[in-house]
Amino acid sequence: MEDGVVGLTIGGGAFVSNSATESGGGMFLSSGCNSTTLRGVEFIGNSAPLGGGLCTRSMHNLRLLGGSLTSNSAFRGGGLFGEDLHDVEISDLLASGNSAVGVVSNEEEVGEVMGGALSLLRSSAIALLSSQFRSNTAVDRGGAVSAVAVTDLVVGNCSFVGNQQTSRKVTGIGGGALYYDECDGDLRVSEGMFSENEAGVRGSAIYSVATYTILVDKTAFADNIVHNYGGK
């Protein structure tokens, strides 16, 4: 859905076992769909190269309130892929069993498979609040969440449990739960839990590169594992 739909609200419902050849296996929202709210919507078992459950591009004022992303798969953003977004709130979401998968056959492709649950690119003012990320996987970046070129990401009262960045190649990237890179702004994590996450390369729970400031407050880290290098 694109070009000129403003103020869209969807309450309830489920998108189950759908697929797309390019973007948004369950749903695609793009330029013009500003001030969109999805309340209590479930995306289950969908697939696409970008955003297995949901793909969003060039949007302002997006709200995902409640609902779930479950067992969706994509090359980037198993549950959701978002690019060129501004002012986004994702709250009370359950994201579980989503995967960012793909065949990495040469060095040029390493680093492209990212964001088991969420993959965010070139976006700003993103808030992840009171949500659960469980048992999501990505080959290379961010078992649960990947944020690249994002300005200001707030993660508040979220739990990340049992997520995995699976590749153990030394040319891989990392972030068992959360990957944050090339971001012109702060990463703020508060009142959260990172437990039993696993990285094949770097950052058992969080891996950040070229970030202005990382602020972590009242957040617990327990039993996270990294197989190469190290760090939280």
Side-chain angles (χ1 to χ4, degrees):
M1 188 176 295
E2 56 185 324
D3 297 333
V5 180
V6 178
L8 174 68
T9 298
I10 298 176
F15 297 80
V16 182
S17 300
N18 302 287
S19 64
T21 57
E22 294 185 6
S23 304
M27 180 184 294
F28 178 75
L29 299 170
S30 190
S31 56
C33 298
N34 295 321
S35 301
T36 290
T37 299
L38 304 182
R39 189 184 302 274
V41 179
E42 298 183 339
F43 296 87
I44 304 169
N46 304 287
S47 63
L50 296 178
L54 172 64
C55 182
T56 57
R57 279 181 157 156
S58 303
M59 295 176 61
H60 294 247
N61 191 19
L62 173 65
R63 300 289 181 265
L64 272 65
L65 310 178
S68 65
L69 301 170
T70 306
S71 301
N72 303 286
S73 64
F75 193 65
R76 295 185 182 180
L80 179 151
F81 176 81
E83 181 177 12
D84 190 23
L85 307 178
H86 176 71
D87 186 14
V88 176
E89 178 187 334
I90 298 174
S91 62
D92 299 301
L93 175 73
L94 173 61
S96 64
N98 302 286
S99 58
V101 295
V103 177
V104 179
S105 60
N106 58 59
E107 289 189 6
E108 292 182 355
E109 292 182 341
V110 169
E112 297 301 309
V113 185
M114 62 182 77
L118 309 177
S119 178
L120 303 168
L121 178 64
R122 290 188 289 272
S123 298
S124 61
I126 310 294
L128 308 180
L129 307 173
S130 302
S131 295
Q132 300 180 54
F133 297 86
R134 297 180 177 272
S135 303
N136 302 286
T137 62
V139 171
D140 204 68
R141 306 185 190 191
V145 177
S146 172
V148 177
V150 169
T151 301
D152 296 327
L153 173 63
V154 173
V155 182
N157 192 32
C158 291
S159 64
F160 294 81
V161 179
N163 303 286
Q164 295 185 24
Q165 176 265 316
T166 59
S167 174
R168 298 190 186 184
K169 296 181 179 180
V170 295
T171 52
I173 308 298
L178 173 61
Y179 174 82
Y180 194 68
D181 189 14
E182 301 176 12
C183 296
D184 186 16
D186 298 338
L187 169 62
R188 298 177 176 88
V189 180
S190 64
E191 299 181 335
M193 163 67 81
F194 291 80
S195 176
E196 299 177 9
N197 301 289
E198 184 174 345
V201 185
R202 305 172 181 90
S204 56
I206 300 173
Y207 183 64
S208 177
V209 182
T211 299
Y212 277 28
T213 305
I214 302 175
L215 303 172
V216 179
D217 181 46
K218 298 179 182 177
T219 295
F221 295 85
D223 300 320
N224 300 290
I225 299 170
V226 64
H227 293 279
N228 291 319
Y229 302 111
K232 286 284 194 291

